Amino acid sequence: MSIAHHAVRWSAWSSILPALLLSTLSPLAMAAEAAAPVAPIAAKTAWQETRHGTVVTDDYRWLQKKTDPAVIDYLNAENAYTAAVTAPIQPLADKLFGEIKGRMQEVDLSVPVRMGNFYYYTRTEAGKQYPINCRRPVGAKGAYDAQAVEEILLDQNRLADGHAFFSVRAFAVSPNEQLLAYTTDTTGFRQYELHIKDLKTGKLLTDTMARVTSLAWAANNATLMLAQEDATTKRSDRLFRLNLGGAPEQVYHEPVEQFAIGINRTRDKQFFVLESRSTDTSEVLLLPTNKPDGTFAPVLKREKGHRYSVEHRAGQLYILTNKDAKNFRIVSVPLSAPQAKNWRPLVPHNNDAVIKSVDVFQDYLVVMEKARALNRARIYDFHSKQWKTVQFDDPVYLAGAAGTPEFNATQFRMSYQSPVTPPTVIDVSMQDGQRTVLKQQEIVGGYDASRYATERLWVTARDGVKVPLWIVYKKGVKRDGKAPLLLYSYGSYGISTEAGFAISRISLLERGVVYVQAHIRGGTDMGEAWHEDGMLMKKKNTFNDFIDSADYLVREKWTSPNRLIIQGGSAGGLLMGAVVNMRPELFHAVHAAVPFVDVMNTMMDASLPLTTGEYLEWGDPNQKAAYDYMLSYSPYDNIARKAYPSMLVTTGLNDSQVMYWEPAKYVAKLRAYKTDNNPLLLKTNMGAGHGGASGRYDAIKENAFNTAWMLSQWNISE
């Protein structure tokens, strides 16, 4: 959920602070009194708004004012309460941290990628939180030479020094390979600042710019195109041209609030590609990279409902389009006459497979498709006009493009993993389809995949639709309804649930936990229609699919309600909030991460372009029918006086996607309403954003805590 700062209505703190302070005794004081920790009770304040003729109240609106010290005091009190309640599981969390860290190859090197005259890679060093970006000159016959002199481009550990959070986003080397443009964020709010480094001298240029979301170099090595987001709304709406040493000059503005822009280049580096995109519509504009002072020209005029992207090769455009093709098709057309009447079909529409991406090279074209929740690659030879298919035999897996930047490449780099197979980097010959394994993630201490089993399951949802799941477990687990089971899903924005590998999951599997992910509607796991059937006025299909999946797992004796824990984050946190309101008795415990739970208050704030842009996913609440439908499932608005599962809610103070106050308000209201004595915990990372901790060891520590909490809910203490 892409949500920026929201305006608030504010009341005087004279009535709030005393009540708040009375409710937040320190853990030390509580321990001294030999009493159980007491949960903070958030104060209630009067706030009302009339919506469609109905007066709506929000008792916890005051939590939306991040700058008020009392809000920070409240979040700190919740953190202190969580720390006190979970103190007994901290030894388990420490043990899990050691397990996960112990399996990780601390000193490691990514597979080098050739770009121009260098091979680029990252490496990690023991004890250091962040990777180091490096390159080496290309060796004899174009090979990677591990003995060539290494050049350190960015030591992210040095850049992160003194910051609780650090992230690099853009990373682009100039065509002459002498300058590096990159962007950094030091708060977690995902506002990235531009830096340009002279790779000869190692010094930074004086050129900089705030809130850069994407960038691309011109052919002259002296000009950058930069997309910038609005300071308040975080919508990328302006494109600037920066001639090094000069001031940025705006060259494009996207006025429509539902659209955001991004800038990149075609793989042959001949054109800048400026894409403006909303949920259901896109427009692409091109400009030759050797004419950065020119004007961007649209390939095809914006047309409601038409989504397309383009690549270029030898005067031809290759267009991935959903025009008359829900799951997309690919056409070619002369650059000089891109109108639909001139399109020549290359890859037809397929009802059973959605095209996710297309990569165009000098001699080949690679199409990534998803069919029945599995990915595959299809390679086209422009000269022989023959196709080859790259797919894998496992029942569930995740395969995808892994980055092949060179236009004249003859090897297509792919990544492959499955719930039992560690991430593997593979080069596929585009000429004959032969595969070469370059690297598989090492599991320190040994790893035996044969100890585990993974399967594809199919659930019949209440409306008759077949919903796929994937499951992984340690062999020998009995299907008697007693196994602890963790069920995860997402189900929004067309984002698919993928069958990947996780080192941390081994700790669960070894303790007998069964792990399941459900490909519920709202993603594109089964095609574009799968997304459409889980959005707008069909959004409840997402929640029903998840509940039906859980019911199936209980019915088939994979687990039982008192052994079933569920997990989801962001829009998957909306899923968590919705399903526990609908069927609280079905779940034993819940981990909701950075959850989008305050749907109506967020979506009714029409002053923000990002909010109105989200209307295309959730609905426009200014329309009564959409308002009523969204209100009927909004987690915050449907909290009731009944028993709820145990819950751990995690968030970040600097979250730019789902503001911290959504989970904070949700926990405050839930604590006031629920009738059970089950744990309800809020844990806020006060120095991070939507993705949590940025350092790899800090991220493991967060993961270990969350895992320890879930294990404790299954009464697993070792």
Side-chain angles (χ1 to χ4, degrees):
M1 178 69 179
S2 298
I3 299 297
H5 285 299
H6 285 253
V8 296
R9 299 182 183 180
W10 193 240
S11 301
W13 268 98
S14 58
S15 63
I16 299 174
L17 194 54
L20 182 62
L21 292 177
L22 285 172
S23 67
T24 57
L25 294 173
S26 74
L28 289 176
M30 290 183 285
E33 296 172 3
V38 177
I41 304 299
K44 296 182 180 180
T45 61
W47 184 92
Q48 294 182 337
E49 183 174 86
T50 300
R51 300 171 182 171
H52 296 287
T54 300
V55 176
V56 176
T57 62
D58 184 3
D59 292 337
Y60 303 103
R61 190 79 170 193
W62 62 272
L63 282 169
Q64 296 184 199
K65 191 166 185 179
K66 181 180 178 180
T67 56
D68 195 289
V71 173
I72 303 302
D73 288 344
Y74 174 75
L75 296 176
N76 284 331
E78 286 282 5
N79 279 348
Y81 172 69
T82 296
V85 169
T86 60
I89 69 168
Q90 193 55 52
L92 178 57
D94 293 341
K95 182 177 181 179
L96 290 166
F97 174 81
E99 287 179 11
I100 300 168
K101 177 174 173 288
R103 297 187 194 105
M104 180 179 70
Q105 186 72 26
E106 293 190 75
V107 179
D108 205 2
L109 184 79
S110 69
V111 178
V113 177
R114 182 172 179 177
M115 289 189 290
N117 295 307
F118 292 89
Y119 276 93
Y120 293 80
Y121 57 93
T122 61
R123 59 179 176 83
T124 54
E125 296 180 353
K128 294 187 177 180
Q129 296 268 23
Y130 299 96
I132 301 169
N133 299 85
C134 308
R135 70 180 182 183
R136 284 190 168 103
V138 170
K141 297 182 179 180
Y144 173 71
D145 181 2
Q147 304 307 313
V149 176
E150 177 184 81
E151 180 181 355
I152 294 178
L153 306 181
L154 291 181
D155 184 341
Q156 294 188 33
N157 299 286
R158 291 187 178 181
L159 295 175
D161 189 38
H163 300 289
F165 182 95
F166 182 77
S167 174
V168 172
R169 186 173 185 174
F171 185 96
V173 176
S174 61
N176 66 4
E177 304 173 319
Q178 295 180 12
L179 298 171
L180 169 64
Y182 65 99
T183 60
T184 61
D185 170 32
T186 57
T187 68
F189 198 66
R190 297 187 180 180
Q191 286 191 338
Y192 287 82
E193 182 179 5
L194 171 70
H195 311 277
I196 303 173
K197 183 176 182 179
D198 185 326
L199 297 178
K200 281 188 172 181
T201 65
K203 295 181 179 179
L204 290 179
L205 306 188
T206 56
D207 304 272
T208 189
M209 187 169 167
R211 307 186 310 280
V212 173
T213 54
S214 57
L215 57 84
W217 282 99
N220 63 9
N221 303 292
T223 304
L224 277 168
M225 292 291 178
L226 304 163
Q228 185 186 56
E229 68 181 20
D230 182 87
T232 301
T233 69
K234 292 187 66 64
R235 179 172 75 96
S236 297
D237 62 344
R238 298 178 189 275
L239 183 73
F240 290 84
R241 176 174 48 238
L242 174 64
N243 292 314
L244 300 185
E249 176 189 1
Q250 183 174 309
V251 295
Y252 181 86
H253 173 239
E254 173 53 67
V256 182
E257 293 180 343
Q258 288 82 2
F259 285 76
I261 67 169
I263 187 72
N264 55 61
R265 296 182 301 183
T266 54
R267 183 174 270 101
D268 64 5
K269 300 181 177 62
Q270 297 298 303
F271 292 93
F272 291 112
V273 180
L274 173 60
E275 184 172 25
S276 188
R277 177 181 291 273
S278 72
T279 296
D280 64 1
T281 305
S282 60
E283 182 180 23
V284 176
L285 300 92
L286 299 179
L287 174 68
T289 54
N290 63 359
K291 297 179 180 179
D293 292 329
T295 301
F296 280 87
V299 175
L300 300 165
K301 291 293 185 181
R302 189 175 301 183
E303 178 184 346
K304 177 68 174 176
H306 185 205
R307 295 158 58 196
Y308 73 99
S309 59
V310 305
E311 257 294 355
H312 174 262
R313 170 185 174 271
Q316 293 283 310
L317 292 179
Y318 293 84
I319 303 177
L320 175 63
T321 172
N322 73 340
K323 194 173 186 65
D324 303 319
K326 185 182 291 289
N327 282 339
F328 291 86
R329 59 187 173 123
I330 300 173
V331 299
S332 65
V333 68
L335 172 66
S336 58
Q339 297 78 17
K341 65 181 181 181
N342 300 318
W343 289 0
R344 294 189 297 274
L346 181 60
V347 180
H349 176 258
N350 185 341
N351 283 326
D352 298 321
V354 59
I355 301 174
K356 302 298 291 183
S357 66
V358 57
D359 290 282
V360 178
F361 301 93
Q362 184 171 283
D363 298 316
Y364 304 95
L365 176 145
V366 181
V367 178
M368 293 301 304
E369 297 177 330
K370 183 181 288 288
R372 292 176 65 81
L374 293 174
N375 301 311
R376 68 188 181 206
R378 297 177 61 219
I379 302 172
Y380 179 72
D381 187 319
F382 282 114
H383 301 294
S384 70
K385 308 213 181 312
Q386 298 295 310
W387 286 93
K388 305 173 194 68
T389 300
V390 181
Q391 58 188 18
F392 301 86
D393 298 328
D394 297 305
V396 292
Y397 62 83
L398 168 59
T404 311
E406 290 288 88
F407 182 61
N408 62 356
T410 59
Q411 300 280 333
F412 183 69
R413 183 154 296 175
M414 294 186 66
S415 63
Y416 171 81
Q417 57 186 294
S418 81
V420 298
T421 306
T424 306
V425 179
I426 302 169
D427 267 355
V428 179
S429 168
M430 290 189 274
Q431 181 180 15
D432 58 21
Q434 202 162 17
R435 307 176 196 183
T436 303
V437 174
L438 303 177
K439 181 177 182 178
Q440 184 173 85
Q441 180 180 347
E442 181 180 349
I443 311 300
V444 177
Y447 170 74
D448 183 1
S450 68
R451 292 168 56 84
Y452 313 101
T454 185
E455 301 176 31
R456 168 71 73 211
L457 305 176
W458 292 90
V459 175
T460 301
R462 63 193 67 186
D463 60 356
V465 171
K466 300 288 188 181
V467 178
L469 284 67
W470 64 263
I471 186 168
V472 62
Y473 53 92
K474 186 178 179 181
K475 291 178 180 177
V477 169
K478 295 179 180 179
R479 283 180 58 181
D480 57 5
K482 297 180 181 179
L485 187 146
L486 177 58
L487 174 61
Y488 169 92
S489 198
Y490 185 77
S492 291
Y493 299 111
I495 297 173
S496 299
T497 299
E498 304 290 6
F501 182 87
I503 282 182
S504 60
R505 193 183 301 138
I506 298 172
S507 292
L508 289 174
L509 300 181
E510 283 297 306
R511 288 170 170 84
V513 176
V514 177
Y515 183 88
V516 184
Q517 287 194 9
H519 299 271
I520 57 181
R521 280 172 281 186
T524 52
D525 312 65
M526 301 284 283
E528 285 293 322
W530 206 248
H531 178 205
E532 293 177 1
D533 284 347
M535 63 187 291
L536 298 173
M537 301 297 280
K538 296 181 178 180
K539 186 61 198 171
K540 288 184 182 179
N541 284 336
T542 301
F543 315 135
N544 292 338
D545 285 356
F546 189 87
I547 289 172
D548 293 346
S549 297
D551 277 332
Y552 167 88
L553 293 166
V554 171
R555 188 169 61 249
E556 294 297 314
K557 297 189 180 300
W558 285 104
T559 192
S560 56
N562 66 355
R563 302 292 279 165
L564 173 57
I565 296 181
I566 59 175
Q567 183 181 48
S570 195
L574 162 65
L575 171 68
M576 297 297 100
V579 299
V580 296
N581 279 334
M582 296 165 69
R583 290 283 303 279
E585 80 290 348
L586 182 57
F587 314 109
H588 177 63
V590 184
H591 174 214
V594 291
F596 170 44
V597 283
D598 192 11
V599 177
M600 303 314 298
N601 286 315
T602 292
M603 297 304 293
M604 287 300 296
D605 191 347
S607 65
L608 295 177
L610 283 181
T611 294
T612 56
E614 295 286 326
Y615 290 172
L616 298 173
E617 179 74 21
W618 310 107
D620 180 356
N622 296 297
Q623 299 175 5
K624 185 64 162 59
Y627 175 88
D628 289 343
Y629 186 77
M630 295 162 67
L631 182 61
S632 72
Y633 67 73
S634 172
Y636 183 65
D637 296 282
N638 286 281
I639 292 172
R641 296 197 182 280
K642 57 187 176 184
Y644 281 85
S646 301
M647 295 188 70
L648 170 64
V649 181
T650 54
T651 188
L653 181 64
N654 298 326
D655 195 333
S656 62
Q657 311 303 106
V658 180
M659 290 297 191
Y660 74 90
W661 45 257
E662 293 208 31
K665 290 169 61 180
Y666 175 76
V667 168
K669 184 176 180 180
L670 186 60
R671 186 169 285 139
Y673 273 74
K674 73 191 193 82
T675 60
D676 59 88
N677 294 317
N678 294 325
L680 173 60
L681 305 177
L682 174 66
K683 186 174 185 181
T684 305
N685 186 323
M686 305 299 283
H690 197 60
S694 57
R696 58 176 177 159
Y697 297 107
D698 291 341
I700 292 173
K701 189 171 294 185
E702 285 188 340
N703 190 355
F705 173 84
N706 298 335
T707 302
W709 183 82
M710 289 187 286
L711 287 170
S712 74
Q713 293 300 305
W714 287 308
N715 293 317
I716 299 173
S717 59
E718 294 294 331

